[in-house]
Amino acid sequence: MSPISGCFHSSTCPRKMTRRVVLVVAGTTLVLSIVFACAAAATEYVRPPPGRVIFTQHTKPASHPQQVHVSVVGANHMRVSWVTEDKHIQSVVEYGKAAGNYTASATGDHTSYRYFLYTSGKIHHVKIGPLDPATVYYYRCSMAGDEFSLRTPPAALPIELAVAGDLGQTEWTASTLSHVGRSDYDMLLVPGDLSYADAQQPLWDSFGRFVQRYASRRPWMVTEGNHEVEAAMALPCWPRPFTAYTTRWRMPYEESGSASSLYYSFDTAGGAVHVIMLGSYADFNSSSEQYRWLARDLAAVDRGATPWVVVLLHAPWYNTNAAHEGEGEAMRKAMERLLYEARVDLVFAGHVHAYERFTRVYNNEANPCGPVHITIGDGGNREGLAFDFRKNHKLARLSVMREASFGHGRLSVVNATAARWTWHRNDDADSTVRDEIWLESLAANGACRPRPGSNGAGAADSPNDEL
């Protein structure tokens, strides 16, 4: 197999337009300053006009579950999360393999939080299982409201992982998720920046309703971005950072031995793929708990049984865009060697609102035993696209494909040695593949197997691209 490299493509933005959107929610006026960027039309593609923020309301009774989403927990369990306005509703899920025929049930826990004058609804989390792999289950939350269905991930390869970062809740986001949903996939990975609520808590509720159609059917595995922090001051009266994010989007951090919900890992496809979610906004230096946890997590991976290791984080370590330039550098310097020595295959990032793929790289040099770094912060956020790619950037020689357009990616892990990555640009009603490459697992690459006493180093100086 040969890699199919995408061509270089970038655009410039002649002007920007700022629009203020006013939302009235439960008597509270929310004012959003939204910067829309308009691009000079490329010869083969004319970008659509700016998309509006979509505020999704709950129109059903207070007892009806809303904001339903699912995530994986261990090898054969799923977590179902939802919100009810009625605080007396039970945290229970009924489920079965036939519509309307629930043969099992599970009870979980619930919580809520306050953010100044805002009080959340009752937030429910219930773990269901054991479940059969690659199987459709029908389920109902709190014994009320609508019936939902989900499909569990497969127990072996192949597996299809969709990837989209910096989502938000705009017409662009709706287009991205529509394109994701049109083709079959097993799981969505999100490298941070979900709702873009930015302390306006009703937008968290709106986001949960906005994505429910998709997030209730396939597991969404997420990590935090800067828009999840929502804490500007370290004051006793100020809400703790990440309060809304960690309360609403509970991920399986405890199951992976992590002490923090801001970083965790999990296996999928029967352990053939190990996914690590790192926290760009948690301490990451060599004396930090996240660093120690990452070292333990990577050391525990048996690459004979787990041929693929994928990492997600928010602030990219490699970036030739002027947007957020250098913001991931401190984390790269602290942690990159751990990933390199463990032969991590891919690193996905968000934060920069564009698409960019690098060759295999380590320590700012092409390296066939390093990960492929991909920035995919182009899910549809309200801030617009990042057009300013630096042609003369010091890392430009390592950048294989870059484009400022909204879209999503797909990692199709075919078997223990081969995977296909594609990036799909939003072309109005269609989704166009603009970048495609075949990857070989580093675990299968004999030249990259660590040598005794080499501290993980393999063929470190070869300029060869992915395969």
Side-chain angles (χ1 to χ4, degrees):
M1 291 176 292
S2 299
I4 303 171
S5 299
C7 62
F8 175 89
H9 179 89
S10 64
S11 299
T12 56
C13 183
R15 60 188 177 91
K16 289 185 178 179
M17 176 175 64
T18 301
R19 178 177 297 173
R20 293 172 69 83
V21 177
V22 179
L23 304 175
V24 179
V25 184
T28 302
T29 301
L30 308 177
V31 181
L32 308 179
S33 295
I34 304 172
V35 178
F36 297 108
C38 60
T43 57
E44 79 284 8
Y45 174 63
V46 178
R47 290 180 175 82
R52 63 185 178 89
V53 172
I54 300 173
F55 187 86
T56 308
Q57 300 190 42
H58 183 58
T59 58
K60 296 181 179 180
S63 61
H64 279 223
Q66 56 171 297
Q67 308 175 47
V68 179
H69 59 272
V70 298
S71 54
V72 297
V73 185
N76 55 4
H77 287 75
M78 301 274 281
R79 178 176 286 117
V80 183
S81 302
W82 73 96
V83 177
T84 57
E85 295 175 355
D86 189 333
K87 301 295 179 69
H88 303 287
I89 296 299
Q90 298 182 60
S91 302
V92 61
V93 173
E94 304 167 284
Y95 60 99
K97 295 181 180 179
N101 183 17
Y102 309 126
T103 58
S105 66
T107 301
D109 55 39
H110 61 270
T111 186
S112 62
Y113 71 94
R114 296 194 64 181
Y115 196 96
F116 296 116
L117 299 179
Y118 171 90
T119 302
S120 75
K122 188 175 182 179
I123 302 172
H124 308 259
H125 299 289
V126 176
K127 185 169 72 172
I128 63 174
L131 305 173
D132 293 334
T135 302
V136 174
Y137 285 86
Y138 298 86
Y139 65 99
R140 187 173 65 163
C141 305
S142 296
M143 296 184 289
D146 300 326
E147 178 181 76
F148 298 90
S149 66
L150 63 84
R151 193 182 72 197
T152 56
L157 298 175
I159 189 171
E160 181 95 355
L161 304 174
V163 188
D166 298 69
L167 287 172
Q169 44 193 310
T170 71
E171 291 174 331
W172 290 310
T173 318
S175 175
T176 298
L177 293 178
S178 175
H179 294 150
V180 171
R182 285 180 189 176
S183 298
D184 198 18
Y185 66 102
D186 297 299
M187 181 184 299
L188 179 69
L189 307 178
V190 182
D193 281 1
L194 280 70
S195 71
Y196 281 75
D198 294 329
Q200 300 182 75
Q201 297 306 300
L203 287 177
W204 274 109
D205 294 309
S206 173
F207 177 78
R209 301 176 196 124
F210 180 80
V211 303
Q212 175 179 278
R213 175 182 175 185
Y214 306 96
S216 62
R217 298 177 180 177
R218 298 289 187 275
W220 279 38
M221 307 306 292
V222 305
T223 190
E224 83 280 1
N226 56 300
H227 287 274
E228 274 73 65
V229 178
E230 297 189 309
M233 305 178 189
L235 299 176
C237 61
W238 197 271
R240 296 183 63 183
F242 305 106
T243 293
Y245 166 72
T246 56
T247 306
R248 295 171 181 270
W249 291 81
R250 184 181 295 180
M251 294 289 115
Y253 70 95
E254 295 169 316
E255 289 79 0
S256 64
S258 170
S260 170
S261 57
L262 301 182
Y263 47 90
Y264 64 96
S265 67
F266 63 95
D267 291 331
T268 191
V273 181
H274 186 64
V275 180
I276 300 173
M277 298 286 196
L278 294 180
S280 293
Y281 304 96
D283 290 340
F284 48 70
N285 61 43
S286 59
S287 62
S288 69
E289 177 53 36
Q290 180 176 198
Y291 184 97
R292 292 191 294 269
W293 169 83
L294 176 61
R296 293 193 304 268
D297 188 84
L298 289 170
V301 177
D302 177 2
R303 294 305 294 271
T306 305
W308 293 93
V309 179
V310 177
V311 169
L312 283 85
L313 47 85
H314 190 61
W317 294 358
Y318 290 88
N319 170 36
T320 67
N321 199 295
H324 305 299
E325 186 174 8
E327 289 186 19
E329 182 65 4
M331 190 179 191
R332 183 193 70 79
K333 289 181 177 180
M335 290 183 158
E336 186 178 26
R337 187 173 183 85
L338 289 178
L339 271 58
Y340 175 70
E341 293 182 352
R343 297 300 186 250
V344 168
D345 294 286
L346 295 110
V347 177
F348 293 107
H351 205 32
V352 177
H353 302 160
Y355 174 77
E356 184 167 23
R357 175 173 62 85
F358 289 83
T359 187
R360 290 198 179 277
V361 63
Y362 172 63
N363 197 23
N364 292 321
E365 296 293 340
N367 188 309
C369 300
V372 172
H373 284 256
I374 295 174
T375 299
I376 190 157
D378 55 354
N381 66 89
R382 60 176 168 77
E383 295 177 342
L385 292 163
F387 292 95
D388 190 8
F389 283 108
R390 302 287 181 85
K391 293 182 179 180
N392 297 320
H393 195 281
K394 65 179 182 179
L395 298 176
R397 57 192 168 83
L398 305 173
S399 180
V400 180
M401 166 67 178
R402 50 188 182 173
E403 178 175 323
S405 297
F406 290 118
H408 77 281
R410 288 177 177 268
L411 180 64
S412 302
V413 185
V414 179
N415 54 41
T417 60
R420 176 176 177 257
W421 166 257
T422 53
W423 175 62
H424 303 246
R425 181 178 67 190
N426 293 353
D427 282 354
D428 297 325
D430 301 316
S431 180
T432 303
V433 175
R434 286 285 294 156
D435 189 28
E436 178 180 7
I437 192 167
W438 281 92
L439 301 167
E440 180 186 34
S441 166
L442 292 179
N445 187 335
C448 293
R449 291 179 187 143
R451 298 188 302 270
S454 65
N455 293 321
D461 300 319
S462 171
N464 295 336
D465 201 358
E466 285 72 19
L467 288 180

